Amino acid sequence: MGWYLWMGLVTWALAAPQGVAQPAKLTRGPYLQLPTHRSMVVRWRTDRESKGYVRWGLSPESATNRASHKGILSEHVVQIDGLQPNTRYYYAVGTETNRWLGEPGPAFSFITSPAPGTVQPVRVWAVGDAGTATTNQVNVRKGFEAWHARQPADLWLMLGDNAYSTGTDRQYQRAVFDVYTDLLRRVPVWPTLGNHDAYSADSSTQSGVYYDIFSLPSRAQCGGLISGTEAYYSFDFANVHFVCLDSHDSDRSKGGAMAEWLRADLAGNSRDWIIAFFHHPPYTKGSHDSDKLSDSSGRLVEMRENILPILEAGGVDLVLTGHSHSYERSFLLNGHYGYSTNLAPSMVLDRGSGRIDHEGAYKKDAGNAAHQGAVYICAGSSGQVSGGKLNHPANWVSLNKLGSLLLDFDGLRLDVRFLGDRGQVRDYFTLLKKP
Ligand SMILES: [Fe+2]
């Protein structure tokens, strides 16, 4: 740059009017949290503090209702109330200067939850150990998007290690908000804490990046039983009960607060399906080994020995985890709480594939009776694959392949697919419940 041009720019900058407030710019989100049949929480970040507003309505043209938060903030959290169940709303977020950061339309819209207990098709997406911010992660997302275009997901789950390698705010920006920008604006997300997230978060105080980013239901705002903490929680969607556990940073003992809450939560459930998710897998021979007490300071063993009996006594149907960067999916199991060498034939309730067009679906009675069988999936390959022996005898299939999980509930039928990074179906099975 020439000297005269440089001096000209400096002179112009010095002469520019000072003290004129620049409008706040959107630097994160918006993203959706805590969905119910009456409300939705919208969150976003701006580059400077401002009053945050959401305008919303039943059509883009009628998005004129307003909600806001108290105070002047850069982390905006606005709860919209008074919504109708199972209804699409269009929204935009903005500042008090009446400047809207985006336009209401299909890209900025959400559907409220159905009324509690409603039976209707439900689609759930789940990613595990996704947060690598690599083309692998993006390709896994793209593989899901073709399915999402045909029937949108109602909600999605993050199975931990959501942002590598230490779960900092900058890493969450790159691995979550920059990768899933469009999806976050339309589909509420439910996370669990992984070990890498926990480098920057603390469950005992519910503080740090993970807890700052996510609004989670410590007070059973979305159904289930009050847990009193954001570290573990439950919620309902239609006829499905979801339980999120903290396998990394909360007490995993049989008599601990999490275990006590879990027993009571499951005892109070009346939904048709129970889905549990947490980070550390009970049956893996991938990049982690659930037979090693030294692996992850015993967390895999403790979850299997202490928590699985409670889940199975409470009638759990499906357990989703990550941590190993592979896909490992079990038979229909019950009562396997020991090491892999202790797997007895009586613990495998159905030795088939669970494929309705092959060896038949896995079958259970409706009503969530204890110990009717559950399928366990480690799906930690949504951002990378890391190999391993992949030979745990509790698993029907073990793949060192990238992918994500798609769950489709329809009444008393649940279809599960493992989608590859080109959207191909790499595994599938069905759970059927007899009325
Ligand atoms: Fe992990």
Side-chain angles (χ1 to χ4, degrees), residues 5-17:
L5 180 57
W6 170 249
M7 283 305 293
L9 279 174
V10 170
T11 307
W12 174 82
L14 290 173

Side-chain angles (χ1 to χ4, degrees), residues 209-281:
V209 174
Y210 173 91
Y211 291 103
D212 288 343
I213 286 175
F214 296 112
S215 299
L216 302 171
S218 58
R219 295 177 284 111
Q221 295 96 311
C222 306
L225 180 72
I226 293 172
S227 69
T229 173
E230 291 185 288
Y232 48 87
Y233 57 85
S234 62
F235 63 94
D236 291 332
F237 190 94
N239 62 335
V240 188
H241 183 61
F242 292 87
V243 179
C244 171
L245 300 177
D246 174 14
S247 60
H248 184 82
D249 203 23
S250 292
D251 183 350
R252 294 169 297 279
S253 65
K254 282 177 185 161
M258 184 165 73
E260 294 294 344
W261 166 80
L262 177 61
R263 279 188 198 93
D265 175 78
L266 295 178
N269 172 57
S270 58
R271 303 287 172 249
D272 292 325
W273 294 95
I274 299 172
I275 311 301
F277 63 106
F278 49 87
H279 186 60
H280 293 79

Side-chain angles (χ1 to χ4, degrees), residues 348-372:
V348 183
L349 301 187
D350 188 328
R351 194 159 278 284
S353 63
R355 295 179 174 176
I356 211 156
D357 59 355
H358 179 230
E359 293 173 316
Y362 298 136
K363 295 185 183 69
K364 299 180 68 171
D365 291 332
N368 299 314
H371 300 293
Q372 296 296 299

Side-chain angles (χ1 to χ4, degrees), residues 23-26 93-101:
K25 289 195 186 75
L26 190 67
V93 302
T95 64
E96 63 185 337
T97 54
N98 207 17
R99 183 170 173 275
W100 299 99
L101 310 167

Side-chain angles (χ1 to χ4, degrees), residues 171-413:
Q171 289 165 358
Y172 259 92
Q173 185 66 40
R174 291 185 63 227
V176 173
F177 294 101
D178 292 349
V179 173
Y180 303 120
T181 311
D182 294 338
L183 200 63
L184 287 161
R185 289 172 176 165
R186 292 179 290 168
V187 185
V189 63
W190 293 100
T192 189
L193 185 81
N195 50 302
H196 287 275
D197 308 297
Y199 284 109
S200 300
D202 182 80
S203 291
S204 63
T205 54
Q206 300 164 65
S207 63
V209 174
Y210 173 91
Y211 291 103
D212 288 343
I213 286 175
F214 296 112
S215 299
L216 302 171
S218 58
R219 295 177 284 111
Q221 295 96 311
C222 306
L225 180 72
I226 293 172
S227 69
T229 173
E230 291 185 288
Y232 48 87
Y233 57 85
S234 62
F235 63 94
D236 291 332
F237 190 94
N239 62 335
V240 188
H241 183 61
F242 292 87
V243 179
C244 171
L245 300 177
D246 174 14
S247 60
H248 184 82
D249 203 23
S250 292
D251 183 350
R252 294 169 297 279
S253 65
K254 282 177 185 161
M258 184 165 73
E260 294 294 344
W261 166 80
L262 177 61
R263 279 188 198 93
D265 175 78
L266 295 178
N269 172 57
S270 58
R271 303 287 172 249
D272 292 325
W273 294 95
I274 299 172
I275 311 301
F277 63 106
F278 49 87
H279 186 60
H280 293 79
Y283 312 121
T284 183
K285 292 282 186 181
S287 47
H288 290 276
D289 186 341
S290 55
D291 279 341
K292 278 196 183 145
L293 194 52
S294 58
D295 192 313
S296 309
S297 304
R299 289 178 173 87
L300 293 75
V301 174
E302 287 176 17
M303 290 302 286
R304 188 176 64 241
E305 291 183 348
N306 299 339
I307 302 299
L308 260 53
I310 302 170
L311 286 169
E312 293 187 346
V316 72
D317 299 298
L318 183 67
V319 177
L320 308 179
T321 60
H323 200 40
S324 274
H325 306 143
S326 47
Y327 173 79
E328 298 167 87
R329 190 265 288 181
S330 79
F331 300 98
L332 188 69
L333 298 176
N334 177 58
H336 180 35
Y337 310 134
Y339 291 87
S340 65
T341 47
N342 305 124
L343 178 67
S346 62
M347 299 168 185
V348 183
L349 301 187
D350 188 328
R351 194 159 278 284
S353 63
R355 295 179 174 176
I356 211 156
D357 59 355
H358 179 230
E359 293 173 316
Y362 298 136
K363 295 185 183 69
K364 299 180 68 171
D365 291 332
N368 299 314
H371 300 293
Q372 296 296 299
V375 177
Y376 293 82
I377 302 178
C378 169
S381 61
S382 304
Q384 61 191 317
V385 288
S386 302
K389 288 184 179 170
L390 298 173
N391 62 349
H392 197 294
N395 292 325
W396 185 82
V397 59
S398 302
L399 302 171
N400 190 42
K401 297 284 187 188
L402 292 168
S404 62
L405 282 179
L406 192 65
L407 316 183
D408 281 303
F409 299 86
D410 191 1
L412 294 177
R413 173 173 174 156

Side-chain angles (χ1 to χ4, degrees), residues 1-260:
M1 186 183 292
W3 169 253
Y4 290 104
L5 180 57
W6 170 249
M7 283 305 293
L9 279 174
V10 170
T11 307
W12 174 82
L14 290 173
Q18 301 294 306
V20 177
Q22 296 294 312
K25 289 195 186 75
L26 190 67
T27 55
R28 174 175 292 181
Y31 58 108
L32 304 171
Q33 300 272 273
L34 296 172
T36 78
H37 65 296
R38 295 275 185 227
S39 63
M40 184 69 79
V41 168
V42 182
R43 296 191 57 160
W44 71 99
R45 177 182 286 182
T46 48
D47 64 341
R48 66 196 68 196
E49 293 183 337
S50 62
K51 180 90 169 173
Y53 285 91
V54 179
R55 67 181 173 99
W56 51 273
L58 291 167
S59 68
E61 298 74 32
S62 68
T64 54
N65 302 287
R66 286 195 187 204
S68 64
H69 57 70
K70 290 199 181 95
I72 305 295
L73 307 165
S74 55
E75 288 292 330
H76 306 278
V77 185
V78 173
Q79 178 163 320
I80 306 174
D81 290 304
L83 304 178
Q84 296 300 311
N86 207 26
T87 301
R88 182 177 293 281
Y89 289 92
Y90 298 84
Y91 74 98
V93 302
T95 64
E96 63 185 337
T97 54
N98 207 17
R99 183 170 173 275
W100 299 99
L101 310 167
E103 284 296 316
F108 291 85
S109 70
F110 57 79
I111 299 176
T112 48
S113 305
T118 301
V119 178
Q120 65 177 53
V122 175
R123 173 163 275 192
V124 178
W125 188 47
V127 293
D129 303 65
T132 53
T134 60
T135 49
N136 281 343
Q137 183 187 8
V138 171
N139 288 342
V140 168
R141 186 204 71 205
K142 287 179 178 172
F144 157 71
E145 280 172 348
W147 292 79
H148 184 61
R150 288 195 289 274
Q151 182 194 328
D154 297 290
L155 49 94
W156 56 306
L157 313 177
M158 288 184 172
L159 304 176
D161 290 358
N162 312 316
Y164 286 98
S165 57
T166 54
T168 64
D169 187 77
R170 184 184 289 261
Q171 289 165 358
Y172 259 92
Q173 185 66 40
R174 291 185 63 227
V176 173
F177 294 101
D178 292 349
V179 173
Y180 303 120
T181 311
D182 294 338
L183 200 63
L184 287 161
R185 289 172 176 165
R186 292 179 290 168
V187 185
V189 63
W190 293 100
T192 189
L193 185 81
N195 50 302
H196 287 275
D197 308 297
Y199 284 109
S200 300
D202 182 80
S203 291
S204 63
T205 54
Q206 300 164 65
S207 63
V209 174
Y210 173 91
Y211 291 103
D212 288 343
I213 286 175
F214 296 112
S215 299
L216 302 171
S218 58
R219 295 177 284 111
Q221 295 96 311
C222 306
L225 180 72
I226 293 172
S227 69
T229 173
E230 291 185 288
Y232 48 87
Y233 57 85
S234 62
F235 63 94
D236 291 332
F237 190 94
N239 62 335
V240 188
H241 183 61
F242 292 87
V243 179
C244 171
L245 300 177
D246 174 14
S247 60
H248 184 82
D249 203 23
S250 292
D251 183 350
R252 294 169 297 279
S253 65
K254 282 177 185 161
M258 184 165 73
E260 294 294 344

